[in-house]
């Protein structure tokens, strides 16, 4: 279908390597240096993420952080840690899960709510767009996004425009994938994660 073909062009091809962690894969990609630097140098953040493996990370690109550099510079360590944790969900959520469900409400490690939706031919996370899907490795999956998720950007799935699909993520077993296309109907995790319905600690937001 046309919208799936469009998403295929947006999603970069990433070949999952089981022996590589999602952190290593993000570092090798080259677009997530600011995120990785913040995660590794903000006390407690990396430990919190690894303690909740497998996880789904909605990772802002370097450009996304650059767009709000003044805001980030004004955050103290505690506030920055909260913002970073707001991009991470326990359990694995693949692009296919979101496309199948239409819209899901998730609770991040910080306690903040996220709306991950498939609407108007693209996958969104609050006010950001997923630009690179299913970077999959040991520890879960990363989806690249074009905006940093900030407080106050959550809206419930019920607020989506009429005609959008809504619902929970269906029960699916763990899956392997060699692709990262948003349109993939066979995508999934090559690491130890599972789909959202059975991933560790995966939850629907209230």
């Amino acid at each position: 279908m046309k919208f799936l073909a469009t998403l295929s062009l947006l999603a970069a091809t990433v070949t999952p390597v089981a022996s590589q962690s999602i952190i290593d894969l993000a570092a090798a990609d080259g677009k997530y240096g600011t995120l990785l630097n913040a995660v590794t140098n903000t006390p407690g953040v990396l430990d919190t993420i690894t303690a909740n493996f497998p996880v789904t990370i909605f990772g802002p690109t370097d450009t996304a952080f650059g767009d709000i550099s003044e805001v980030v510079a004004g955050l103290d360590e505690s506030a920055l840690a909260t913002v970073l944790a707001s991009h991470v969900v326990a359990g694995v959520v693949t692009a296919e899960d979101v496309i199948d469900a239409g819209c899901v409400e998730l609770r991040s490690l910080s306690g903040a709510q996220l709306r991950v939706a498939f609407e108007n031919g693209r996958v969104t996370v609050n006010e950001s767009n997923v630009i690179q899907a299913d970077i999959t490795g040991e520890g879960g999956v990363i989806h690249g996004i074009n905006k940093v998720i900030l407080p106050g950007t959550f809206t419930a799935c019920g607020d989506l425009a009429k005609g959008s699909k809504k619902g929970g993520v269906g029960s699916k077993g763990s899956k392997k994938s060699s692709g990262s296309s948003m349109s993939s109907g066979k995508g999934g995790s090559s690491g130890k994660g599972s789909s959202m319905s059975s991933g560790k600690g995966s939850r629907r937001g209230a």
Side-chain angles (χ1 to χ4, degrees), residues 10-195:
L10 291 175
T13 299
V14 177
T15 301
V17 180
S19 61
Q20 287 190 277
S21 73
I22 53 175
I23 304 299
D24 291 336
L25 290 171
D29 184 272
K31 292 193 295 292
Y32 304 99
T34 304
L35 172 66
L36 295 176
N37 183 65
V39 166
T40 55
N41 290 294
T42 304
V45 174
L46 184 58
D47 288 342
T48 298
I49 292 173
T50 56
N52 283 278
F53 274 0
V55 297
T56 298
I57 299 176
F58 299 103
T61 62
D62 293 338
T63 300
F65 274 105
D67 289 341
I68 61 163
S69 58
E70 292 184 1
V71 174
V72 174
L75 299 176
D76 59 24
E77 281 188 349
S78 177
L80 180 57
T82 297
V83 168
L84 294 171
S86 295
H87 291 73
V88 187
V89 174
V92 173
V93 185
T94 67
E96 180 189 2
D97 290 331
V98 178
I99 291 172
D100 286 348
C103 186
V104 292
E105 295 174 14
L106 307 174
R107 183 81 64 177
S108 71
L109 296 186
S110 73
Q113 287 183 287
L114 303 176
R115 182 195 71 183
V116 187
F118 179 58
E119 51 185 334
N120 300 320
R122 63 177 183 248
V123 172
T124 61
V125 186
N126 286 12
E127 295 181 347
S128 67
N129 295 327
V130 172
I131 60 171
Q132 185 177 17
D134 295 341
I135 303 173
T136 309
E138 290 293 330
V141 62
I142 298 175
H143 303 296
I145 58 177
N146 68 344
K147 290 184 180 180
V148 176
I149 300 169
L150 296 174
T153 58
F154 170 80
T155 56
C157 285
D159 294 333
L160 287 174
K162 291 182 179 180
S164 297
K165 291 193 297 180
K166 307 178 183 66
V169 176
S171 297
K172 300 175 187 174
S174 299
K175 296 163 282 189
K176 287 183 178 288
S177 171
S178 59
S180 65
S181 170
M182 244 332 158
S183 65
S184 173
K186 299 181 177 62
S189 173
S190 69
K192 297 181 180 179
S194 59
S195 65

